[in-house]
Amino acid sequence: MNKACILVFFLILGATLRGQTRIDITGAVEWDKMEINATVSLDLASAGIRLPTGRTQAEALISAEYLRLIRPGLLSIPVDSSSTIAGLIDRGEFSFLQAENLAFGARMVPHALSTDLRSISAAYSVSLAELCAGLIRHSRPSEIPRTLSAIPAAAYTGIIIIADEELPVHGKRSTALPLPCLFPKIWDTDMNLIYDRNMLELRDTQSAVMARYASADAIFRPGPSGLSAEIAALVGQRPLRILARRVFGERPTDPVIDRADALLIISSGENRRLLREGRVLIILNDSALKSGL
């Protein structure tokens, strides 16, 4: 029997057993890791599976049901302040097949039995960097805004925007906790666009991530720079640290920085390069860094 026939067989088997079988997914979108991490668990008794002879059947059933279970979480990923993956698919800007191929390409930890041998599970990790790469359409980055006249500015090694507390929402009489998305825009307080995905230089999959996320703990470590080793690898030892003044967007994902801070970035070719290379870190509240599936 070829692979296609085997897949069809187990898809039919999964549909048949779904009504009586207890198979669940747990996990979260982990923005500090830029991953969706999920575990799919199957209750063996509910599926009528006995060990050890039924282990292969149990593993195949998990594989067959994984896509159905992870699909809602994947489609709800916020792309920017107003769109999700599902919204892009509805508008024809991304295909359902591309989303499913991303899910199929997940890293998987081999199946494991529970200690009481009543269930079996498999862990999956889906890369959000690969999702970003699939959503970038330009071949050459757009120009980053620059000043008409030179303004003295130090050469920084990265940009850190601290937005881990509730901020005023631009255009509204309210405050909100900034939230993550795949492509956050950066604005200044005059509402000039400083950075968006079209300004990013795409070199490989990892370079498709225009901004990384972390909690405040990552930038207040012992040591001269105060940065964790992982963060220092991204923004270097001399990053420009900026306090976000407001947040913007239908979904509050876009930090608004002071005009004076924006000028420090855009007035220097070296500092504009930091945006083009995605050497940007946004500090968010711990509660915003994980969202359940």
Side-chain angles (χ1 to χ4, degrees):
M1 186 181 295
N2 61 37
K3 290 182 179 180
C5 291
I6 292 172
L7 177 60
V8 170
F9 170 77
F10 282 116
L11 287 174
I12 293 172
L13 175 63
T16 302
L17 295 177
R18 192 175 299 157
Q20 65 193 54
T21 299
R22 294 202 299 274
I23 184 166
D24 301 299
I25 190 168
T26 57
V29 182
E30 300 186 34
W31 289 97
D32 53 342
K33 298 178 181 178
M34 289 301 284
E35 293 176 343
I36 304 173
N37 288 306
T39 300
V40 178
S41 300
L42 169 67
D43 179 86
L44 295 169
S46 70
I49 294 174
R50 293 174 178 269
L51 295 176
T53 56
R55 177 158 182 157
T56 299
Q57 180 187 352
E59 292 179 358
L61 184 54
I62 285 178
S63 297
E65 289 292 279
Y66 154 71
L67 185 60
R68 177 184 68 85
L69 292 168
I70 203 168
R71 186 182 292 126
L74 180 59
L75 295 184
S76 66
I77 294 289
V79 176
D80 51 33
S81 63
S82 61
S83 302
T84 63
I85 294 297
L88 294 188
I89 292 172
D90 288 343
R91 298 200 298 268
E93 297 174 21
F94 196 63
S95 76
F96 200 77
L97 181 59
Q98 284 176 288
E100 294 202 335
N101 283 341
L102 180 72
F104 275 128
R107 298 193 313 274
M108 189 188 83
V109 174
H111 297 81
L113 288 165
S114 62
T115 54
D116 61 8
L117 304 182
R118 293 181 178 180
S119 64
I120 188 170
S121 62
Y124 297 85
S125 181
V126 179
S127 168
L128 294 185
E130 290 186 16
L131 181 55
C132 289
L135 290 168
I136 290 180
R137 300 286 182 253
H138 62 266
S139 56
R140 295 183 62 183
S142 301
E143 285 294 320
I144 295 169
R146 60 181 67 197
T147 54
L148 294 176
S149 56
I151 296 175
Y156 296 100
T157 57
I159 299 166
I160 298 175
I161 299 176
I162 301 172
D164 62 339
E165 297 182 352
E166 285 203 357
L167 294 170
V169 179
H170 179 79
K172 300 181 181 179
R173 296 180 179 179
S174 62
T175 61
L177 200 63
L179 298 175
C181 67
L182 297 179
F183 298 116
K185 295 182 177 71
I186 298 175
W187 307 81
D188 70 13
T189 42
D190 292 339
M191 294 314 291
N192 297 303
L193 180 63
I194 302 301
Y195 185 40
D196 72 4
R197 77 173 94 171
N198 296 316
M199 301 172 191
L200 192 66
E201 184 178 44
L202 184 62
R203 303 178 304 279
D204 51 35
T205 297
Q206 292 304 313
S207 71
V209 179
M210 64 178 289
R212 300 276 177 171
Y213 295 100
S215 67
D217 290 345
I219 62 170
F220 294 112
R221 298 286 179 88
S225 70
L227 305 176
S228 69
E230 183 182 10
I231 297 308
L234 173 68
V235 298
Q237 297 294 323
R238 293 175 290 101
L240 172 62
R241 298 178 186 232
I242 300 171
L243 287 174
R245 299 301 181 184
R246 299 196 292 266
V247 67
F248 181 55
E250 182 179 324
R251 187 174 186 270
T253 60
D254 298 352
V256 179
I257 64 174
D258 194 89
R259 178 62 180 170
D261 290 324
L263 291 175
L264 292 177
I265 300 171
I266 65 175
S267 63
S268 159
E270 290 187 30
N271 293 339
R272 289 194 298 273
R273 177 178 54 81
L274 301 176
L275 296 180
R276 198 159 44 247
E277 294 181 357
R279 296 190 179 277
V280 177
L281 178 72
I282 300 177
I283 300 300
L284 295 182
N285 190 279
D286 284 336
S287 64
L289 290 173
K290 287 188 179 182
S291 53
L293 295 178

